[in-house]
């Protein structure tokens, strides 16, 4: 579980940086940004679930 959490954390931050960069060039509400934000939310939910199960 610890390795999965570490991978998800790295994945979250990579997606976050990519989404941030896209926001500089694409308009608000662009489908790529929406998909990335949805994926970020899913990753964050999974991270939170893993952390809750560890307590």
């Amino acid at each position: 579980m610890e390795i999965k959490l570490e991978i998800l954390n790295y994945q979250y931050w990579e997606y976050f940086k990519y989404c941030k960069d896209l926001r500089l060039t694409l308009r608000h509400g662009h489908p790529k940004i929406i998909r990335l934000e949805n994926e970020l939310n899913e990753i964050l939910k999974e991270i939170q679930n893993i952390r809750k199960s560890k307590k």
Side-chain angles (χ1 to χ4, degrees):
M1 245 347 155
E2 195 67 32
I3 293 173
K4 184 174 182 175
L5 183 61
E6 188 175 340
I7 290 169
L8 286 171
N9 278 323
Y10 283 119
Q11 184 179 17
Y12 176 83
W13 288 112
E14 287 297 319
Y15 275 51
F16 180 83
K17 289 188 293 185
Y18 181 57
C19 191
K20 185 178 172 186
D21 290 341
L22 280 180
R23 285 185 185 133
L24 295 173
T25 57
L26 299 176
R27 61 178 163 67
H28 181 71
H30 192 278
K32 281 186 180 181
I33 293 174
I34 292 172
R35 276 195 310 255
L36 275 173
E37 288 174 345
N38 290 338
E39 188 64 30
L40 281 169
N41 289 333
E42 290 299 317
I43 294 169
L44 195 55
K45 284 179 192 175
E46 196 167 345
I47 289 170
Q48 291 170 344
N49 287 338
I50 291 172
R51 287 184 179 160
K52 283 181 185 176
S53 69
K54 290 173 79 176
K55 291 183 180 180

